[in-house]
Amino acid sequence: MLSELAFFLKQAVLQPKQTSSLVPSSRALAAAMAEHVGPETGPVVEFGPGTGIITRAILARGVRPENLTLFEMNPVFAETVAKRFPGTTMHVTGAQQAPDLMPATVGAVVSGLPLLSMPRSLRREIVGAAFKVMRPDGIFVQFTYGHTTPLSPEGLSALGLTATKAKKVWANFPPAQVYILRRSQN
Ligand SMILES: C[S@@+](CC[C@H](N)C(=O)[O-])C[C@H]1O[C@@H](n2cnc3c(N)ncnc32)[C@H](O)[C@@H]1O
């Protein structure tokens, strides 16, 4: 456990902007993120798995490894997670590249990215990329430590999305709010 924390912390120090947190998510937060997916979801994508705490929770929900595609920019995290979860597909690149790398058949994108620490244009690009690879009924699951939605009301409206609150997880440092983004009904 300590070595896991030390491993994460080292990457946080080496890549502070990308990692944007000193510790990985708690198991409680990982479970709250993963509860929105299961075997019935079909293909699932995870953005920014880090050391794989949410990846493990997604697989524990019954998502088959061959149905789970991961996008992780940090090659050190990517190599570790690819070894830990054989059968999953790892892309060592930015989440914003997803539409170039996979078909639009995904049922859910689960994101552990530090969206609120990113420039607004990148935030929109990444969420837009998620919806380009998802089926019309696809959901984007995101946690945030902030007091607002992961995208501003203008950003949501520009992408034709609505955001709803799911679980608030107090057993995390800091406490986190899970949000679900969906395409708005016309
Ligand atoms: C806050 S850490 C979260 C790690 C893990 N999901 C967790 O909850 O413990 C953010 C992760 O996103 C990765 N990341 C940051 N920007 C990214 C991007 N544009 N595309 C893919 N991964 C990215 C970082 O390298 C890091 O692993």
Side-chain angles (χ1 to χ4, degrees):
M1 179 68 177
L2 191 61
S3 63
E4 185 79 7
L5 286 176
F7 173 56
F8 192 97
L9 182 60
K10 184 175 175 192
Q11 294 309 311
V13 170
L14 291 172
Q15 302 287 351
K17 273 196 181 158
Q18 264 179 40
T19 313
S20 207
S21 168
L22 294 176
V23 289
S25 297
S26 67
R27 282 196 201 157
L29 178 54
M33 295 284 286
E35 72 179 31
H36 301 281
V37 300
E40 70 290 349
T41 311
V44 173
V45 166
E46 184 186 357
F47 286 171
T51 49
I53 181 97
I54 298 176
T55 318
R56 189 179 302 282
I58 292 171
L59 294 170
R61 293 280 305 164
V63 172
R64 294 204 318 270
E66 54 273 29
N67 258 346
L68 181 57
T69 302
L70 311 162
F71 287 81
E72 173 54 63
M73 268 182 102
N74 180 330
V76 178
F77 280 149
E79 192 188 346
T80 303
V81 169
K83 274 193 196 140
R84 266 182 196 169
F85 305 104
T88 60
T89 300
M90 171 64 78
H91 294 293
V92 191
T93 186
Q96 54 275 39
Q97 306 303 324
D100 298 331
L101 295 167
M102 55 190 311
T105 55
V106 173
V109 174
V110 180
S111 166
L113 296 179
L115 274 194
L116 285 182
S117 314
M118 295 177 175
R120 197 175 59 172
S121 58
L122 179 58
R123 225 185 287 172
R124 281 195 199 179
E125 189 185 351
I126 287 175
V127 177
F131 280 89
K132 278 188 191 150
V133 298
M134 281 198 282
R135 304 187 307 252
D137 62 339
I139 58 166
F140 183 81
V141 186
Q142 174 73 51
F143 71 79
T144 170
Y145 308 134
H147 297 292
T148 54
T149 50
L151 276 189
S152 64
E154 298 75 36
L156 290 169
S157 157
L159 293 173
L161 305 176
T162 53
T164 51
K165 278 186 182 177
K167 271 193 181 147
K168 172 94 183 181
V169 181
W170 295 98
N172 190 70
F173 180 77
Q177 175 68 55
V178 179
Y179 277 92
I180 308 291
L181 272 55
R182 297 183 168 81
R183 290 186 174 92
S184 308
Q185 306 287 342
N186 290 320

